[in-house]
Amino acid sequence: MVWQATEATHKYAVVVYNYEHSDPMRLRLHVGDTLQILEQCQDWYRGLNIKNKTEKGIFPKSYVHIKEALIDRSGTYETVQAKELPIVQEITSVLREWGNIWKKQYINNGVEFEMLKVMMLELIDCRKLIMSRKITMDELKELQQRVTTKIDYGNDLLGLDLVVRDEVGNVLNPETTGTIKFYRQHELAVQRIQKESSKKYPKNSQRLKFAFNLLVNVKNFVCRIGEEADILIALYDVKEAKFFTENYIIKWGNQGLPKNIDMLNDLRVLFTDLGGKDLQREKVSLVCQIIRTGCMDVIKEGSDNKKLTKDLRRPFGIAAIDLTDLLKGYSDSEEDKQYFVPFEKCGERDFLEGIIRKVVNAKEKDINHKGQGLWLTYKLLPGDMKQVVEENPHLVVGNLAIARKMGFPEVIYPDDVRNDIYVTLSSGEFNRGSKSADKNVEVTVCACSDKGETLKNVISVGASGELVTEYKSVIYYHEDKPKWFENIKIVIPFQSFTDCHLKFTFRHRSSTEAKDKSEKATLVAYIRLMNDDGTTLADKEHELNIYKMDSKREAVSYLSLPPTKVELEKRLNPNLPLHKQSISAGGYTLSHKDFAFISTLVCSTKLTHHVNLMGLLRWREKPEQLESHLQALTQMEIDGEEVVKFLHDMLDALFNILIQNNSEKYDNLVFEALIFIIGLISDRKYHQFRSVLDSYIDKAFSSTLAYNKLMVVMKDYVDRAGDIKENDSSLLRTMKSLEYIFKFIIRSRKLFARLNEGRGRQQFEVSVKQLLTSINGMMQFKKTHNKIVLVQGAALKYLPSTFSDVMTVFNPKELSILVVDFINYVPKNQLLRQKLTCLNDIVHSKLLMKPECRAVLLPMILYHVKSLIVKREELEECCRIMCDIMEQLNCDDMGSVREDIATITSALLRDVIQTVIAQDRSTYIAGQFVALLVAMFRQMTEAHYSIYLNLFQTDIDLTDFLMEILLVIRDLVTKNVYPKDWNEMIMLQNSVFLKALRCFSHTIRDRFKDPFADQLWNNFFHCAIAFLTQETLQLENFSSTKRHKIISRYKDMRRETGFEIRSMWFNLGNHKFRFIPAMVGPILEMTLLPETELRKATIPIFFDMMQCEFNQVNPLFRKGHIRAKFDEVETEIITKLDVLVEGGRGDEQYRDLFYEILYGLFDGHTQMRDQGLTFVDLVHKLLQRLLEYRTIINDENKENRMSCTVNLLNFYHEIDRQEMYVRYLHKLSDLHLECDNYTEAAYTLLLYTKLLGVSSFWTYTITEFVYQSFLLQNQGCQVFK
């Protein structure tokens, strides 16, 4: 057999069958193990276990499954990993880790066993779904968020480490992520887990805050109608008892299928324009109305219906499903999950409105549906229509109907031009007249011109339906007070609105066709779309006047009659009763006993029902009223909703007024109007319209001369700041509007420059500088009254938002100088918090991205922050500013930051260190400052360390700093400020501290060896040893997954630290004796760590210590004589070994390595050989007994424990270690007492008295006491105990 290297396609395998054997050349396989394949031969592979790469061998091909893999040959060895999505790899890793814990839970009857099982099955299902590749990218993102949240919650439940992710759920790599961002993502992860652990919380509320859509797909409709029908589906507000979206109409055939057979499997509708206000509705239902079209009564199969009227629209039934939990975010919407919506049939005298109220408040079991109803699916889609098309292109193909909200969406974009009127036929009351029974009233609605011409195809019954010329209402049988509750939309071009009206005709419909043909419309009502002042029909309920029609009537003479009751009352003589007053014209006479109610809602981006707003939009028609219209706007007489609705046209009008009028009066009024509009949009209620205003400035704004006038007016406002009155808020509102005023100025200037090839640039820059200088001057005013302080505070808050725009037309460095003056001019001890907020905004501005600007701004920021940190004031805000600076400097697009890091560390590093020392470790601010300290150290290069350390003018100052930072690092690694499950943050902190220790060790070695600073060297050794012995670096205590992750990213930091300690020790030279025997214990603790290379590197330090003590000159003898022994080191090693090994340190490997390394060193030393080999043999035997003692001490068999204790006791007696001998005498005595052997315990203590040389009197007394104890014990008394 010839073994051949495997190809790239056969490098990675997963074990699918267990493979057990005893052959050492073969690899044991367990289901789920991942293998790296090295070679193949016929039916065999040779490879290694990826989890434990020391396990190598051959195995059968049939026991594994080959998977695609990514091969990395960049390192020393070739590595492979599965070619899968990162989320799939994470799920796989988590399932393996949870699987081991789950097995232990089963064995130990753990309380989380069942919960863990459920979560693992959910993850398996999600993994299958992702691997199937049958979901869209949008669905994958949503699933990934759900999976990662579940994983994080499960890890928290099991006490595992926190997983740090970005916003979309991907695991963050600390090597490529800034320290501050990494820390903050830890905080967000904790909040996310706490949110997941709560019982019930909205899942979609944040994504659906401003705009969302509802996709509904009707899968089937099961209902025995027997005639054609209209199925109308819309969203219904249960509390307000009204629909708030357009209908989606399905034309249903009498055969139980859609009339358009092409729509059979494509009955989909998207309800759009929904927003935050709709989320706040108390209860929302999806309501389906079934209106049959046929005879007056339902005809039974086989009956003769030839003589009956067949085009009557009659109510048939209602189906409804509650969507409140979906909209509130308490339940998920799954596109493939079908819901059954039960159907409730109308009774003989039921109105649709009453049935809807009944069904939406009933439970499914209370509805007598008999299996009839709709099957449908629904799904929430966040964003506006444009976003839906971009993110879900597969959903918007085919026959997707769009049903809009009745009214405007919460954000109206300039390109969303509408001119619709929604009309609701509410109710009516009709006199039966000459008929013996109440009428079967049918209402016909149409739109007509003032000339009487009917407008064609302007009425929409519902989305997906064709536009019609007339709409016929539902008919209620013999009902004099019908309640229709029907919605339609009138779509009329803007130009036709002025001379249009809606016409309503009322007709009795007969059940038989012959009679019905003779029935004509005898009643009419109308309502105009426009008022005489140019405003539109008001959004409210209207009570219509109904007029009787003569056969000789004139076509449009009714237009001279009052259309509504309100207008009728204006014409009536109040002194005469209504029935005695004749209201008629051209064959139309007012019917006093008939009336009807309708509701209207105008959705127009061109027309309004507000007089002042319309006057502004059409200001050229009546220029004499312009001043009053502008004042009405600034005095808030116009409703904010109307203003934002016409934002585009309103701004166009204002800038036209500004440019076309040369009066200073109009300049100020227009400026005030702009401030009002900007303030309106800044209000939380209309905050979502910011995007509309931004869009207007970028795409629609065209006033090239506006910038000069805006700057002149604004500078005039600012220059008069010293004379501001307490009740004058114009300057305050101006400061709050700075961002958008500057946007208008800059955009106007750019448009002008583009048209005029940059002409006027210098003058513009001078004007900008003068304006900013005026603002700076305003900041110098001391507090005279509250208004000026409010203005200064507003300037601090809003001026930074202008920088990104200003720097596109103004020199950034010069702007930075002005900004420095702006901050420095703020009066001392005034507006402190506002100033800090402003500094933070400057940090996040584009100015800080330019190196030349940072050189100007950073010293100013550091000065103000440092002054507060030193005073321990506003620490949280100061820390946030500095953290944000460090995070900004970590970005790739910041250019060179070397000088900036040097500036920051020079100014603040010592203060940050001292603040960390002063903070209580349990506080939130302590974690922030430690993260800041770590970020500063991490971004410092060796050159930065060198520059910073050279700033200290004397060695004393440098010593103080090094002592301080070593104590801080030691304290932070022994008492970590972060929770234990923040392992990623702790490991990042450790890697940074290791780098710092390495730099500090070089400084200590180079500058403090002569003269020797023994306390500094001592602090370094203790700090470094505390670092490598900390709990978070003991990899052997972790799971294999966690251990592999840490080693692959950080290696074993204990080894690097140990090598640094070894190097420092051997650089001590003649000063080693200063640390003997004090350093024996700490170094022994380090060597006992179970890391082979670390042990090999550090155990020789003991030989060096002994050699140092051996060669030390003995002061008791004449010059040249040495001690020639190392008893201090020997005693310290034996004493410390006993404590450390009993505490769990050390193993057989350490015993053998200690013997092997020191034996070899002593064997080659002529003077120390005999003593050394004796010592090595002694320690070897001691370790053997200590390891046995540690193993047996917890044994249930107390006899074994006593035997092992006696064994150690005798060993210490033989080697004459009295203190250790006494220690184990007490332990043996305690063991006897545990076993109720009081006599033996007393005799053990008697050995101690002999060791102390106690007199015979006391020996006799103790012996007598032992004898009496024996007698008492036999009597059952345990007095001794």
Side-chain angles (χ1 to χ4, degrees):
M1 293 194 303
V2 179
W3 289 91
Q4 297 177 338
T6 51
E7 299 176 357
T9 56
H10 286 68
K11 287 286 186 181
Y12 185 87
V14 179
V15 177
V16 293
Y17 299 107
N18 291 334
Y19 183 56
E20 298 287 348
H21 55 81
S22 57
D23 188 347
M25 298 301 292
R26 300 188 186 189
L27 184 63
R28 290 188 175 185
L29 306 179
H30 298 95
V31 173
D33 286 350
T34 53
L35 310 174
Q36 180 179 348
I37 302 172
L38 305 174
E39 296 177 316
Q40 63 178 341
C41 179
Q42 294 182 4
D43 296 331
W44 294 82
Y45 285 129
R46 190 176 77 84
L48 53 86
N49 192 321
I50 292 177
K51 193 190 313 184
N52 185 0
K53 295 187 177 182
T54 59
E55 297 180 9
K56 295 183 180 180
I58 63 172
F59 50 89
K61 289 183 176 181
S62 57
Y63 279 67
V64 298
H65 172 72
I66 302 296
K67 296 186 71 174
E68 286 187 78
L70 298 173
I71 304 170
D72 182 10
R73 297 187 175 91
S74 59
T76 309
Y77 303 101
E78 178 182 272
T79 59
V80 297
Q81 63 178 10
K83 190 177 181 180
E84 295 170 339
L85 291 171
I87 184 63
V88 174
Q89 294 180 20
E90 184 180 3
I91 293 174
T92 305
S93 175
V94 166
L95 286 172
R96 288 195 178 115
E97 190 169 15
W98 287 9
N100 292 330
I101 298 172
W102 185 54
K103 293 173 186 174
K104 293 176 183 176
Q105 289 276 339
Y106 176 75
I107 294 171
N108 300 326
N109 293 320
V111 292
E112 288 92 11
F113 175 77
E114 284 299 330
M115 187 182 296
L116 189 56
K117 174 184 175 182
V118 171
M119 289 194 295
M120 288 176 67
L121 290 174
E122 287 180 7
L123 289 182
I124 291 170
D125 291 338
C126 292
R127 186 178 184 276
K128 286 179 183 176
L129 186 57
I130 297 171
M131 296 285 286
S132 69
R133 299 181 180 178
K134 293 181 180 179
I135 56 177
T136 64
M137 290 301 296
D138 190 55
E139 290 170 330
L140 177 60
K141 289 178 185 177
E142 191 175 332
L143 182 61
Q144 181 171 336
Q145 288 278 13
R146 195 163 71 245
V147 166
T148 52
T149 303
K150 185 68 67 178
I151 289 173
D152 293 343
Y153 174 65
N155 285 340
D156 181 64
L157 190 70
L158 299 172
L160 301 176
D161 292 336
L162 195 69
V163 180
V164 192
R165 309 179 187 279
D166 59 18
E167 293 75 12
V168 296
N170 297 318
V171 178
L172 283 177
N173 183 354
E175 295 175 3
T176 57
T177 307
T179 306
I180 302 303
K181 181 180 180 180
F182 204 58
Y183 166 75
R184 288 171 176 169
Q185 290 301 127
H186 274 79
E187 292 182 317
L188 292 175
V190 172
Q191 294 171 13
R192 193 168 57 246
I193 292 168
Q194 290 173 349
K195 193 175 180 182
E196 172 67 16
S197 61
S198 61
K199 292 183 179 179
K200 196 174 185 181
Y201 62 91
K203 301 175 182 178
N204 304 313
S205 58
Q206 289 301 315
R207 296 188 71 199
L208 309 179
K209 189 173 182 180
F210 293 132
F212 68 97
N213 310 271
L214 177 67
L215 177 68
V216 177
N217 189 350
V218 180
K219 295 292 186 180
N220 195 11
F221 175 53
V222 179
C223 188
R224 295 180 293 276
I225 302 175
E227 295 176 304
E228 292 183 358
D230 291 342
I231 301 174
L232 304 175
I233 301 175
L235 292 175
Y236 178 83
D237 187 311
V238 177
K239 183 179 181 181
E240 296 183 2
K242 67 178 184 180
F243 291 100
F244 60 92
T245 67
E246 298 175 1
N247 290 316
Y248 167 53
I249 184 169
I250 304 172
K251 293 289 185 178
W252 203 254
N254 55 12
Q255 300 298 319
L257 295 171
K259 292 180 70 174
N260 183 357
I261 201 66
D262 294 335
M263 297 177 63
L264 180 59
N265 295 311
D266 199 14
L267 300 173
R268 295 177 303 130
V269 60
L270 187 69
F271 292 99
T272 65
D273 300 339
L274 306 175
K277 292 180 181 178
D278 301 305
L279 294 177
Q280 296 170 9
R281 296 180 187 271
E282 191 172 303
K283 186 176 182 181
V284 176
S285 292
L286 183 72
V287 173
C288 171
Q289 305 175 71
I290 296 92
I291 312 294
R292 65 179 181 85
T293 304
C295 302
M296 188 67 72
D297 296 316
V298 178
I299 303 301
K300 296 181 180 179
E301 194 173 342
S303 301
D304 183 15
N305 62 353
K306 292 180 181 180
K307 296 181 181 182
L308 301 178
T309 310
K310 301 181 181 64
D311 64 342
L312 307 179
R313 298 184 75 240
R314 295 276 286 143
F316 189 73
I318 298 294
I321 184 171
D322 189 356
L323 299 182
T324 307
D325 282 351
L326 175 70
L327 297 184
K328 297 289 186 184
Y330 296 127
S331 64
D332 291 325
S333 58
E334 299 177 15
E335 190 180 348
D336 297 329
K337 184 177 179 180
Q338 293 194 18
Y339 298 88
F340 175 66
V341 187
F343 168 79
E344 175 83 6
K345 190 175 180 180
C346 289
E348 183 67 28
R349 304 290 297 176
D350 288 334
F351 295 120
L352 282 173
E353 182 189 26
I355 294 296
I356 291 173
R357 289 175 183 266
K358 174 185 174 182
V359 171
V360 296
N361 289 297
K363 296 180 180 178
E364 184 179 338
K365 63 180 181 180
D366 299 329
I367 298 175
N368 186 22
H369 56 81
K370 298 180 181 178
Q372 298 183 102
L374 288 90
W375 289 93
L376 53 80
T377 65
Y378 50 73
K379 182 179 178 64
L380 285 179
L381 302 175
D384 55 20
M385 190 61 193
K386 182 180 178 182
Q387 182 179 338
V388 170
V389 172
E390 290 175 353
E391 295 183 357
N392 306 275
H394 64 293
L395 297 179
V396 295
V397 296
N399 298 316
L400 180 68
I402 305 298
R404 303 194 71 167
K405 181 180 177 179
M406 288 200 297
F408 284 105
E410 293 185 17
V411 179
I412 307 167
Y413 289 96
D415 56 354
D416 185 12
V417 179
R418 296 180 68 181
N419 212 53
D420 307 328
I421 295 183
Y422 292 98
V423 179
T424 301
L425 292 176
S426 300
S427 61
E429 185 170 342
F430 302 91
N431 183 27
R432 70 174 64 174
S434 59
K435 296 187 179 292
S436 59
D438 292 327
K439 296 177 182 179
N440 308 324
V441 180
E442 178 187 74
V443 186
T444 302
V445 186
C446 63
C448 299
S449 68
D450 287 352
K451 295 179 181 180
E453 297 170 351
T454 302
L455 302 184
K456 304 292 184 182
N457 302 325
V458 294
I459 299 178
S460 171
V461 181
S464 83
E466 296 179 353
L467 292 176
V468 295
T469 302
E470 292 184 339
Y471 173 75
K472 296 185 182 298
S473 72
V474 170
I475 301 167
Y476 291 98
Y477 187 65
H478 289 176
E479 180 58 60
D480 64 335
K481 297 178 182 178
K483 294 181 179 180
W484 296 292
F485 199 56
E486 300 176 49
N487 297 314
I488 57 174
K489 180 171 73 171
I490 314 296
V491 185
I492 300 177
F494 161 68
Q495 299 80 2
S496 305
F497 244 65
T498 53
D499 60 348
C500 273
H501 64 275
L502 296 181
K503 181 180 178 182
F504 305 85
T505 55
F506 304 89
R507 173 189 175 193
H508 170 73
R509 298 301 301 271
S510 178
S511 301
T512 58
E513 191 171 8
K515 288 183 179 181
D516 189 63
K517 287 181 180 180
S518 63
E519 297 287 352
K520 303 296 181 183
T522 59
L523 300 175
V524 68
Y526 82 99
I527 192 165
R528 290 186 179 277
L529 302 183
M530 297 284 286
N531 298 318
D532 294 337
D533 57 8
T535 58
T536 60
L537 185 66
D539 297 339
K540 63 178 184 179
E541 186 177 65
H542 307 273
E543 183 177 351
L544 301 181
N545 296 324
I546 297 180
Y547 297 93
K548 296 177 182 178
M549 295 188 292
D550 245 338
S551 58
K552 298 180 180 180
R553 62 186 180 273
E554 297 175 11
V556 292
S557 57
Y558 59 83
L559 292 177
S560 63
L561 298 170
T564 65
K565 186 176 181 181
V566 174
E567 294 186 41
L568 174 64
E569 289 173 350
K570 294 178 182 178
R571 293 197 187 184
L572 292 176
N573 185 344
N575 298 321
L576 291 175
L578 179 61
H579 66 276
K580 291 185 178 182
Q581 300 187 51
S582 176
I583 307 296
S584 62
Y588 294 91
T589 305
L590 178 66
S591 173
H592 299 291
K593 296 181 180 180
D594 300 320
F595 57 84
F597 289 92
I598 67 166
S599 296
T600 58
L601 176 64
V602 178
C603 289
S604 174
T605 53
K606 296 295 182 182
L607 301 171
T608 177
H609 47 67
H610 200 287
V611 176
N612 286 314
L613 183 57
M614 185 58 69
L616 269 179
L617 295 176
R618 299 180 179 181
W619 66 274
R620 288 187 182 89
E621 297 177 5
K622 296 181 180 180
E624 68 279 1
Q625 298 180 3
L626 178 57
E627 184 177 352
S628 64
H629 292 321
L630 284 169
Q631 287 174 346
L633 176 63
T634 57
Q635 292 169 10
M636 294 180 285
E637 294 178 11
I638 302 177
D639 184 41
E641 290 190 3
E642 287 293 302
V643 174
V644 296
K645 190 191 301 181
F646 296 93
L647 187 61
H648 186 286
D649 295 324
M650 176 72 74
L651 291 170
D652 279 346
L654 288 175
F655 283 108
N656 286 332
I657 296 168
L658 183 68
I659 300 304
Q660 296 177 25
N661 288 278
N662 295 321
S663 169
E664 185 179 335
K665 175 180 67 175
Y666 284 119
D667 290 350
N668 289 333
L669 283 172
V670 169
F671 190 80
E672 284 285 340
L674 278 176
I675 290 172
F676 169 75
I677 292 174
I678 294 169
L680 188 70
I681 290 173
S682 300
D683 188 272
R684 188 174 182 181
K685 183 178 180 182
Y686 303 107
H687 192 70
Q688 62 269 29
F689 283 89
R690 286 178 65 97
S691 58
V692 180
L693 183 54
D694 291 332
S695 176
Y696 171 81
I697 294 172
D698 292 339
K699 299 177 181 178
F701 178 63
S702 59
S703 184
T704 57
L705 299 175
Y707 70 92
N708 275 323
K709 287 197 171 186
L710 289 175
M711 284 195 291
V712 169
V713 176
M714 184 175 173
K715 187 175 184 301
D716 181 58
Y717 273 51
V718 175
D719 288 341
R720 289 188 282 110
D723 302 326
I724 189 173
K725 296 180 180 178
E726 188 72 36
N727 60 350
D728 186 1
S729 63
S730 58
L731 185 55
L732 177 61
R733 289 186 285 111
T734 301
M735 291 299 107
K736 290 182 176 181
S737 306
L738 278 176
E739 179 183 0
Y740 279 103
I741 292 175
F742 270 97
K743 281 183 182 292
F744 282 120
I745 292 171
I746 304 306
R747 182 62 179 163
S748 175
R749 170 60 200 169
K750 286 181 177 179
L751 293 172
F752 180 86
R754 189 183 302 168
L755 286 175
N756 297 277
E757 299 179 349
R759 182 163 54 87
R761 176 182 173 185
Q762 288 184 346
Q763 181 58 42
F764 172 74
E765 290 181 352
V766 169
S767 298
V768 171
K769 186 172 182 178
Q770 289 175 346
L771 178 57
L772 292 174
T773 304
S774 294
I775 295 174
N776 288 353
M778 181 189 71
M779 301 306 293
Q780 292 179 304
F781 289 116
K782 296 290 178 67
K783 183 177 179 181
T784 54
H785 49 73
N786 289 332
K787 185 62 71 174
I788 191 64
V789 176
L790 289 174
V791 170
Q792 291 172 331
L796 285 167
K797 181 177 181 180
Y798 295 102
L799 187 64
S801 61
T802 67
F803 296 159
S804 59
D805 291 309
V806 174
M807 63 189 292
T808 61
V809 293
F810 192 77
N811 183 278
K813 186 174 181 180
E814 193 170 348
L815 177 60
S816 300
I817 295 170
L818 289 169
V819 170
V820 170
D821 292 339
F822 174 74
I823 295 295
N824 289 336
Y825 284 161
V826 178
K828 193 175 182 181
N829 300 323
Q830 189 170 308
L831 298 167
L832 186 58
R833 291 202 173 184
Q834 290 85 342
K835 184 165 66 175
L836 288 175
T837 303
C838 182
L839 289 176
N840 197 49
D841 292 336
I842 293 171
V843 168
H844 289 280
S845 70
K846 290 185 178 181
L847 280 177
L848 212 72
M849 297 177 68
K850 294 185 174 293
E852 66 272 19
C853 297
R854 288 200 298 274
V856 176
L857 293 170
L858 267 182
M860 178 270 294
I861 296 172
L862 295 173
Y863 169 78
H864 289 284
V865 170
K866 180 182 177 69
S867 63
L868 291 171
I869 289 179
V870 169
K871 297 176 187 175
R872 299 289 186 267
E873 295 178 5
E874 303 293 341
L875 285 179
E876 188 168 345
E877 188 64 25
C878 290
C879 185
R880 185 163 71 92
I881 291 171
M882 291 311 304
C883 285
D884 289 348
I885 290 175
M886 298 307 297
E887 188 58 28
Q888 291 285 88
L889 296 180
N890 194 58
C891 298
D892 296 331
D893 54 355
M894 297 295 285
S896 174
V897 297
R898 180 175 176 178
E899 294 297 325
D900 305 312
I901 298 296
T903 302
I904 291 170
T905 52
S906 300
L908 271 184
L909 180 59
R910 191 73 181 273
D911 298 302
V912 171
I913 292 170
Q914 290 173 349
T915 306
V916 169
I917 294 171
Q919 292 303 311
D920 181 358
R921 292 287 181 269
S922 61
T923 59
Y924 171 72
I925 191 69
Q928 287 186 309
F929 266 99
V930 171
L932 175 59
L933 178 63
V934 172
M936 294 172 79
F937 276 146
R938 187 183 184 191
Q939 289 173 247
M940 289 172 69
T941 61
E942 290 186 13
H944 286 123
Y945 278 102
S946 177
I947 292 169
Y948 183 77
L949 295 174
N950 287 331
L951 291 175
F952 295 96
Q953 297 179 354
T954 66
D955 285 349
I956 295 174
D957 294 335
L958 180 57
T959 303
D960 288 343
F961 166 75
L962 291 172
M963 295 273 284
E964 192 174 74
I965 188 59
L966 289 172
L967 288 172
V968 168
I969 293 175
R970 181 179 178 183
D971 186 53
L972 288 175
V973 298
T974 51
K975 302 173 187 175
N976 215 302
V977 73
Y978 302 120
K980 287 185 178 180
D981 60 344
W982 285 31
N983 187 66
E984 290 282 8
M985 188 67 199
I986 294 171
M987 294 307 296
L988 176 63
Q989 172 186 283
N990 285 336
S991 68
V992 172
F993 284 167
L994 177 57
K995 169 188 163 186
L997 285 173
R998 201 179 293 123
C999 290
F1000 295 146
S1001 70
H1002 295 161
T1003 303
I1004 294 170
R1005 203 159 50 215
D1006 297 339
R1007 297 183 59 173
F1008 294 99
K1009 193 172 180 181
D1010 188 17
F1012 190 75
D1014 54 347
Q1015 189 59 46
L1016 180 58
W1017 281 79
N1018 186 63
N1019 276 16
F1020 175 83
F1021 283 125
H1022 280 90
C1023 176
I1025 291 172
F1027 177 84
L1028 64 80
T1029 55
Q1030 63 177 294
E1031 184 182 348
T1032 52
L1033 291 184
Q1034 310 316 310
L1035 305 181
E1036 63 280 352
N1037 299 332
F1038 304 150
S1039 66
S1040 58
T1041 304
K1042 181 176 177 179
R1043 186 164 57 246
H1044 175 73
K1045 186 189 299 183
I1046 293 173
I1047 290 174
S1048 63
R1049 182 166 290 159
Y1050 300 104
K1051 300 181 181 178
D1052 192 339
M1053 286 187 272
R1054 296 177 299 180
R1055 185 186 301 180
E1056 295 182 52
T1057 312
F1059 288 167
E1060 198 63 44
I1061 293 170
R1062 183 180 185 275
S1063 174
M1064 288 289 283
W1065 174 263
F1066 286 109
N1067 271 280
L1068 280 170
N1070 296 329
H1071 302 288
K1072 292 175 183 173
F1073 71 92
R1074 298 172 184 266
F1075 301 95
I1076 299 171
M1079 284 301 300
V1080 172
I1083 290 178
L1084 181 63
E1085 186 178 1
M1086 173 180 67
T1087 62
L1088 283 167
L1089 295 176
E1091 211 291 314
T1092 306
E1093 296 302 319
L1094 175 65
R1095 287 173 171 178
K1096 288 180 179 178
T1098 53
I1099 287 176
I1101 295 175
F1102 294 127
F1103 174 76
D1104 193 60
M1105 286 179 164
M1106 295 175 194
Q1107 191 175 18
C1108 181
E1109 185 184 354
F1110 187 88
N1111 294 323
Q1112 189 177 349
V1113 176
N1114 194 330
L1116 299 178
F1117 296 97
R1118 68 178 181 272
K1119 189 175 181 181
H1121 278 256
I1122 60 175
R1123 293 188 59 170
K1125 58 181 179 179
F1126 43 82
D1127 52 339
E1128 287 187 6
V1129 176
E1130 179 180 339
T1131 301
E1132 192 71 13
I1133 287 176
I1134 292 172
T1135 304
K1136 297 295 183 183
L1137 261 181
D1138 186 274
V1139 177
L1140 291 170
V1141 174
E1142 185 180 355
R1145 302 291 179 89
D1147 50 31
E1148 287 78 6
Q1149 186 208 47
Y1150 181 79
R1151 177 197 63 198
D1152 298 337
L1153 267 178
F1154 190 93
Y1155 182 83
E1156 179 185 333
I1157 292 171
L1158 289 185
Y1159 188 93
L1161 292 171
F1162 280 119
D1163 192 43
H1165 197 286
T1166 54
Q1167 292 179 306
M1168 297 170 59
R1169 184 178 186 278
D1170 295 337
Q1171 287 185 50
L1173 294 180
T1174 303
F1175 165 75
V1176 171
D1177 186 61
L1178 175 76
V1179 172
H1180 186 269
K1181 292 177 180 176
L1182 173 62
L1183 278 169
Q1184 179 66 35
R1185 286 166 174 77
L1186 287 172
L1187 291 171
E1188 290 174 357
Y1189 174 78
R1190 188 177 72 189
T1191 304
I1192 297 175
I1193 195 63
N1194 294 319
D1195 198 327
E1196 292 182 3
N1197 191 326
K1198 294 181 181 179
E1199 298 263 345
N1200 292 341
R1201 290 161 60 189
M1202 287 183 188
S1203 173
C1204 194
T1205 305
V1206 170
N1207 195 7
L1208 254 177
L1209 186 147
N1210 290 335
F1211 177 78
Y1212 282 126
H1213 185 65
E1214 290 171 8
I1215 64 174
D1216 196 23
R1217 298 288 173 180
Q1218 182 175 327
E1219 71 283 358
M1220 303 307 294
Y1221 175 69
V1222 171
R1223 182 169 182 257
Y1224 279 90
L1225 276 175
H1226 285 290
K1227 287 190 175 188
L1228 183 59
S1229 174
D1230 292 341
L1231 275 173
H1232 282 306
L1233 289 174
E1234 285 181 28
C1235 301
D1236 297 334
N1237 297 331
Y1238 304 113
T1239 306
E1240 287 83 349
Y1243 273 112
T1244 303
L1245 293 176
L1246 189 60
L1247 293 173
Y1248 185 28
T1249 61
K1250 291 179 179 179
L1251 189 65
L1252 295 174
V1254 181
S1255 65
S1256 58
F1257 168 77
W1258 288 108
T1259 303
Y1260 171 78
T1261 304
I1262 292 174
T1263 306
E1264 181 63 24
F1265 177 68
V1266 169
Y1267 176 70
Q1268 294 297 331
S1269 297
F1270 174 73
L1271 294 177
L1272 289 171
Q1273 179 183 347
N1274 290 339
Q1275 295 172 11
C1277 298
Q1278 299 183 5
V1279 174
F1280 192 83
K1281 188 173 182 181

